[in-house]
Amino acid sequence: MLLSKSFVPILKNNPSEAKIKSHQLMLRVGMIKQASAGIYSWLPLGFKVMKKIEDIVRQEQNKIGAQEILMPTIQSSDIWKESGRYEDYGEEMLRIKDRQNREMLYGPTNEEQITEIFRSSLKSYKSLPQLLYHIQWKFRDEIRPRFGIMRGREFYMKDAYSFDVSDEQAFYSYNKFFLSYLRTFKRLELTAIPMAADTGPIGGNLSHEFVILADTGESKIFTDKRIFDLNSNDTELEKNSLQLMRKKYENYYSVTDEKFNKEEFEKVVSEKNRLITKGIEVGHIFYFGDKYSKAMGASVDLPGGKKDFVKMGSYGIGVSRLVGAIIEAKYDDKNEIMKWPLSVAPYDIALIPMINKNDTSALDKAITIYNELSKNNIDALIDDTEENFSSKIKKMNLIGAPYQIIIGKKSDGDLFEFKEIGKETKNLSLIKIVEIIKKQKILN
Ligand code: P5A
């Protein structure tokens, strides 16, 4: 792709309305454009990153056997009246009337809708467990939308729902999502820590928030530092060790402020291991048993002729919020360098030819390199403008493709100036460059 033809409206300076670095960068490189308070259009660069994040989230859901569906954004108020949440949800719910004067709403979450789908489709314990998810826009009329897409009114969420025959089976499903979340965030190069959390309007009494550390985060957290050294691997997906895996995390004190108990914190965490800080909630999982199934009559036949309400949990990931969370974690705002993880980068590599009016040989060379990279499924962005070298580098550092090739006077013959963004330049052949990037892609 040629930069001159891409829709990447870059601003020279940080927009004054943006208070945190993710919001600043997203506006600066034209990833998003505000439509109204807390509501954004996603422009090509931002959209590309969000879709790549969505894909990783999807792959990890599929890996644990969750099945993808798509529920509507607009829901009928009837099901919310059945669960009792129509009134409880309050002002955050965007209520709409259709032309027949029927009360509808823009879904802030989908516990009711999924319970309605389940109860009208499945009747036997033999169909359980069921893990269903969708990735869909939500609307919450937040009182204080802020920090761009971090706390939007309209936002993109992956929400999954589990249906089981017993509490024991349901905890197994809960633990599967717990592990899948650790894996998802790891692939996004984020360290997200599970923290015991409050359940708020979703309900139930077992819940974990997945939080990444950031000064600009809105969640206050209290943890034992040693939790950051834990690592989960795939072999733990086995039934018994899944439970152990969650226990391993729960052995370390780690809670959000609603669950904080000073006395306990000081008793179980030695002073040198205490960490009180802020973080961004990128995911949240809940177990609420039969809260919705009982209120809405979602039951299954058990062996022996009895019936019971299904045991349910729900599991959310803030897909649009993750775009901002990755920037908060990776953007060096002092040096104005963004380095996207290769797995979600808007482009794999930036080609920066030094062009002047009378000599287009560097651009021609860039196009040849581009074609070779394309053949290898490497997505490159060429800066084909006639700006000076330092402003080209500045722009590409903001866009944040993890690799760069500079094509100038020094690139003689088969060797090119290649670098990983923010690091030293090396002179390498194109074959070697392709090999490095392909290898990195496989690791992702
Ligand atoms: C779990 C899935 C739920 O809604 N119901 C279905 C449960 N949980 S939650 O914690 O309320 O939201 C899940 C994740 O969505 C992101 N999120 C937001 N992102 C941007 N702007 C918002 N206003 C917003 N609200 C929630 C968070 O990442 C949260 O963990």
Side-chain angles (χ1 to χ4, degrees):
M1 185 77 192
L2 296 175
L3 185 60
S4 67
K5 301 288 180 295
S6 7
F7 196 91
V8 183
I10 295 191
L11 306 173
K12 277 224 153 49
N13 298 307
N14 275 331
S16 59
E17 73 266 32
K19 301 284 176 268
I20 64 171
K21 55 186 183 176
S22 56
H23 193 195
Q24 286 165 357
L25 185 73
M26 290 183 83
L27 293 177
R28 183 109 181 253
V29 297
M31 294 176 78
I32 50 170
K33 170 83 178 71
Q34 184 171 332
S36 52
I39 302 178
Y40 291 85
S41 300
W42 289 77
L43 306 183
L45 218 56
F47 191 60
K48 239 176 146 179
V49 172
M50 185 166 71
K51 286 284 150 185
K52 288 188 172 184
I53 294 174
E54 174 183 344
D55 224 45
I56 290 179
V57 169
R58 173 178 290 114
Q59 287 167 17
E60 293 300 325
Q61 294 293 290
N62 293 344
K63 257 191 212 162
I64 58 164
Q67 302 161 76
E68 187 167 11
I69 60 171
L70 184 59
M71 292 180 270
T73 53
I74 306 288
Q75 303 179 22
S76 159
S77 65
D78 295 345
I79 47 178
W80 286 72
K81 286 176 183 160
E82 283 188 57
S83 74
R85 282 208 296 181
Y86 193 57
E87 296 309 324
D88 292 356
Y89 220 93
E91 300 270 312
E92 266 194 23
M93 181 183 278
L94 180 64
R95 294 152 205 265
I96 309 162
K97 279 204 174 137
D98 70 8
R99 65 166 77 200
Q100 321 297 355
N101 222 22
R102 274 187 296 246
E103 290 173 314
M104 313 290 285
L105 57 101
Y106 196 118
T109 175
N110 286 59
E111 280 79 8
E112 284 78 358
Q113 192 74 67
I114 196 86
T115 308
E116 206 288 310
I117 292 171
F118 182 93
R119 73 175 172 192
S120 55
S121 314
L122 298 183
K123 303 284 178 208
S124 164
Y125 76 96
K126 288 183 186 150
S127 311
L128 300 183
Q130 285 289 335
L131 311 180
L132 300 169
Y133 74 97
H134 78 158
I135 305 174
Q136 178 61 293
W137 292 95
K138 306 286 183 288
F139 193 92
R140 295 182 186 172
D141 204 352
E142 300 270 354
I143 191 158
R144 260 197 321 152
R146 58 187 192 141
F147 299 155
I149 47 78
M150 292 290 242
R151 178 163 298 279
R153 293 199 296 163
E154 189 182 46
F155 60 98
Y156 203 41
M157 191 205 283
K158 183 285 298 178
D159 38 327
Y161 303 86
S162 63
F163 300 85
D164 280 281
V165 71
S166 65
D167 280 333
E168 199 210 347
Q169 292 289 324
F171 290 139
Y172 179 57
S173 295
Y174 186 91
N175 293 344
K176 270 179 137 181
F177 281 101
F178 191 102
L179 180 64
S180 135
Y181 276 33
L182 292 173
R183 283 179 180 160
T184 305
F185 298 127
K186 199 165 161 188
R187 280 185 69 185
L188 298 172
E189 294 182 20
L190 294 173
T191 308
I193 298 298
M195 317 240 160
D198 226 21
T199 55
I202 307 293
N205 46 27
L206 170 63
S207 168
H208 287 88
E209 266 183 29
F210 288 76
V211 177
I212 66 158
L213 298 190
D215 294 339
T216 47
E218 294 189 279
S219 307
K220 194 160 184 203
I221 55 178
F222 302 82
T223 70
D224 184 328
K225 277 182 198 158
R226 290 173 300 169
I227 199 165
F228 290 93
D229 301 330
L230 295 179
N231 228 331
S232 287
N233 60 43
D234 278 5
T235 54
E236 286 174 319
L237 238 189
E238 209 200 316
K239 184 164 180 168
N240 290 325
S241 60
L242 249 189
Q243 210 176 352
L244 287 179
M245 175 274 310
R246 176 149 75 87
K247 276 231 167 70
K248 201 167 87 177
Y249 279 87
E250 286 176 334
N251 275 337
Y252 295 100
Y253 191 93
S254 111
V255 302
T256 58
D257 54 354
E258 307 95 358
K259 287 269 177 189
F260 180 60
N261 178 317
K262 189 167 185 286
E263 217 174 294
E264 195 193 347
F265 185 51
E266 290 174 0
K267 195 171 127 200
V268 299
V269 187
S270 68
E271 206 171 336
K272 70 175 197 320
N273 288 328
R274 283 178 211 153
L275 178 68
I276 301 176
T277 185
K278 285 187 182 160
I280 301 166
E281 176 198 328
V282 286
H284 200 161
I285 61 178
F286 302 82
Y287 180 58
F288 40 73
D290 61 11
K291 173 176 168 174
Y292 298 89
S293 55
K294 198 168 178 178
M296 298 179 65
S299 59
V300 287
D301 298 324
L302 301 176
K306 279 193 179 167
K307 272 181 186 298
D308 198 7
F309 298 114
V310 278
K311 308 287 186 270
M312 293 173 57
S314 72
Y315 313 87
I317 289 184
V319 177
S320 50
R321 177 178 285 182
L322 270 169
V323 180
I326 295 173
I327 299 174
E328 289 297 321
K330 306 277 176 202
Y331 181 41
D332 169 359
D333 60 335
K334 293 219 169 53
N335 298 307
E336 302 198 328
I337 297 177
M338 176 63 199
K339 184 185 174 208
W340 290 100
L342 185 58
S343 57
V344 300
Y347 290 94
D348 299 327
I349 187 163
L351 307 182
I352 310 171
M354 302 319 309
I355 306 169
N356 62 49
K357 283 200 178 69
N358 314 318
D359 181 9
T360 59
S361 61
L363 179 59
D364 295 341
K365 204 173 247 174
I367 291 171
T368 311
I369 296 173
Y370 178 93
N371 290 335
E372 192 53 34
L373 293 171
S374 283
K375 275 191 221 149
N376 286 283
N377 286 324
I378 296 171
D379 191 14
L381 178 63
I382 307 178
D383 187 344
D384 57 330
T385 65
E386 286 179 10
E387 284 180 49
N388 64 44
F389 181 64
S390 77
S391 65
K392 282 187 165 182
I393 293 282
K394 260 189 175 163
K395 251 187 308 176
M396 285 304 193
N397 283 349
L398 286 173
I399 292 173
Y403 300 105
Q404 299 177 339
I405 297 179
I406 293 147
I407 305 140
K409 291 194 198 89
K410 283 194 224 152
S411 30
D412 278 342
D414 289 342
L415 295 184
F416 296 98
E417 284 181 69
F418 169 77
K419 68 173 178 176
E420 218 180 303
I421 199 166
K423 292 197 179 158
E424 295 283 287
T425 306
K426 292 176 188 161
N427 286 316
L428 296 178
S429 68
L430 193 53
I431 294 177
K432 184 75 195 156
I433 293 170
V434 167
E435 195 185 301
I436 292 173
I437 301 177
K438 276 181 135 177
K439 197 166 158 197
Q440 196 54 41
K441 282 197 170 203
I442 291 167
L443 290 176
N444 281 307

